[in-house]
Amino acid sequence: MSEHYDPETYSEEWNYLQTGTIIDQYMIERELAHGGFSSVYLARQLKDQVQVAIKEYLPRKLAHRTWNNVVTPHNEENRKLFMHGRALFFEEAKVLADLKHPNIVDVINFFQANDTVYMVMTYDYGLTLDKILKKKQVKIDEQFMRTVFTHLLAGVAIIHQKNLLHLDIKPANILIRTGFDPLLLDFGAIEQYPIPKKFKRTKVLTKGFSPIEQYSNTIQLGPWSDIYAIGATMRACVEAKQPIPAPERNQQDKLTPAVKALKNKLPRYLLEAMDWAMAVHPAERPHSVQQLMEVLNPPSH
């Protein structure tokens, strides 16, 4: 089947599981989101009709869906990359199924079907932080910042305690539920910490949010790498734009410190926390989530 793949005649709708499709013990309702490597669907458990979110591994540059929903590489050249990615996706699911915290997406099942891999998560209602900032629906004040980031840091602390790094914290990967309760999503970039020296890591980079060490093969990654992304996310909340990318700042830092640029927007302690977390050089940042949490929750508050 893969030898006959023709991108000119291939129907784009085949790239998505259709409403009513039954897969394992779930029925697909509709697509929720998709990216370069996967699609997320709203589905129902057949046994009790409870809604869940299902993430399917389908890297569009490497593979496509056939008429019977089997996911197959475009050609033999793509097969090795597809299989490697599928194995990593399965590992991500196993790791997440073991990570239990109210502010981390809850993986309740994972399975193989249609020659690919599926991850089943509880379905939470809310809006991702990037959409909230774009629509300007919420007042970004001291209460919002402390509530969102104190809870977010509590979830990230659990990840770090398991010797793991998220490495893709950004507004698009944070779901905000009722009461400004954040849920950290998308663990596709997760890595063990410390990373074995012989291990060649896959780079997942997001301009403005990834720290300088994620662009390098020699600078060590650690909890401070997630902390930079959290600081950048805090700043993006106030400025409603992507911060200056770390490589540009490393060449010549033109980012005005938050304590100056945003002094009329938030209390100084929050701005100081932001600046500390966003230090270009890893050694100048907090080295643990606990250090940052102490600054976000001073005794007088």
Side-chain angles (χ1 to χ4, degrees), residues 14-63:
W14 276 13
N15 248 349
Y16 310 105
L17 292 170
Q18 300 301 300
T19 299
T21 302
I22 291 175
I23 177 167
D24 196 68
Q25 53 194 296
Y26 309 94
M27 185 169 75
I28 300 297
E29 292 196 342
R30 61 183 170 88
E31 194 209 9
L32 290 172
H34 69 268
F37 290 92
S38 60
S39 290
V40 181
Y41 301 91
L42 181 64
R44 281 188 189 273
Q45 296 182 160
L46 294 173
K47 63 179 181 183
D48 55 14
Q49 297 300 300
V50 169
Q51 284 187 314
V52 293
I54 296 184
K55 187 176 181 181
E56 175 189 52
Y57 175 66
L58 202 176
R60 285 161 177 74
K61 285 185 179 176
L62 303 176

Side-chain angles (χ1 to χ4, degrees), residues 255-272:
L255 185 71
T256 306
V259 288
K260 285 185 184 176
L262 308 172
K263 62 183 178 184
N264 298 323
K265 307 252 181 169
L266 289 171
R268 188 176 176 88
Y269 76 93
L270 283 173
L271 302 177
E272 286 176 347

Side-chain angles (χ1 to χ4, degrees), residues 20 32 53 86 89 123 155 161 204 206 213 255 258 280:
L32 290 172
R86 190 176 71 179
F89 189 93
Y123 179 62
Q161 281 168 25
V204 175
T206 303
E213 59 268 28
L255 185 71
V280 176

Side-chain angles (χ1 to χ4, degrees), residues 50-266:
V50 169
Q51 284 187 314
V52 293
I54 296 184
K55 187 176 181 181
E56 175 189 52
Y57 175 66
L58 202 176
R60 285 161 177 74
K61 285 185 179 176
L62 303 176
H64 59 280
R65 190 189 313 286
T66 58
W67 63 273
N68 60 350
N69 285 329
V70 170
V71 173
T72 186
H74 297 328
N75 51 49
E76 284 305 312
E77 285 176 47
N78 293 147
R79 186 170 297 278
K80 192 175 178 183
L81 286 168
F82 172 79
M83 302 284 276
H84 178 65
R86 190 176 71 179
L88 289 176
F89 189 93
F90 201 65
E91 282 304 309
E92 177 197 344
K94 284 202 281 189
V95 166
L96 271 175
D98 200 36
L99 276 177
K100 300 297 178 190
H101 187 273
N103 300 103
I104 296 173
V105 64
D106 190 14
V107 170
I108 52 176
N109 191 15
F110 53 95
F111 60 91
Q112 292 177 292
N114 297 331
D115 283 354
T116 191
V117 181
Y118 297 86
M119 191 188 302
V120 185
M121 301 162 280
T122 53
Y123 179 62
D124 287 89
Y125 293 89
L127 265 183
T128 50
L129 183 54
D130 62 326
K131 287 178 182 162
I132 287 172
L133 298 176
K134 197 174 181 182
K135 294 179 179 181
K136 298 182 176 167
Q137 290 178 316
V138 172
K139 187 183 177 189
I140 308 298
D141 57 11
E142 181 182 10
Q143 184 194 355
F144 176 87
M145 295 292 284
R146 285 191 66 199
T147 304
V148 168
F149 289 97
T150 299
H151 284 96
L152 182 69
L153 284 165
V156 174
I158 296 297
I159 298 166
H160 292 173
Q161 281 168 25
K162 298 269 187 180
N163 293 323
L164 296 165
L165 304 172
H166 185 281
L167 298 181
D168 198 19
I169 297 171
K170 57 187 177 185
N173 284 343
I174 301 167
L175 186 80
I176 304 295
R177 300 170 290 190
T178 307
F180 304 153
D181 189 22
L183 186 72
L184 186 56
L185 312 171
D186 201 336
F187 284 68
I190 199 163
E191 296 272 20
Q192 277 189 314
Y193 163 75
I195 294 165
K197 284 187 178 176
K198 290 182 181 177
F199 183 76
K200 190 173 184 287
R201 65 183 189 242
T202 308
K203 285 185 186 174
V204 175
L205 299 168
T206 303
K207 273 188 176 180
F209 299 96
S210 298
I212 193 64
E213 59 268 28
Q214 267 178 258
Y215 291 82
S216 164
N217 287 321
T218 55
I219 309 173
Q220 190 184 21
L221 296 175
W224 50 88
S225 306
D226 282 339
I227 285 167
Y228 182 95
I230 291 165
T233 300
M234 290 174 73
R235 181 140 187 169
C237 282
V238 190
E239 294 189 315
K241 66 178 183 182
Q242 168 192 297
I244 297 170
E248 287 179 36
R249 296 186 62 208
N250 194 43
Q251 294 276 325
Q252 186 182 357
D253 196 358
K254 292 182 178 178
L255 185 71
T256 306
V259 288
K260 285 185 184 176
L262 308 172
K263 62 183 178 184
N264 298 323
K265 307 252 181 169
L266 289 171

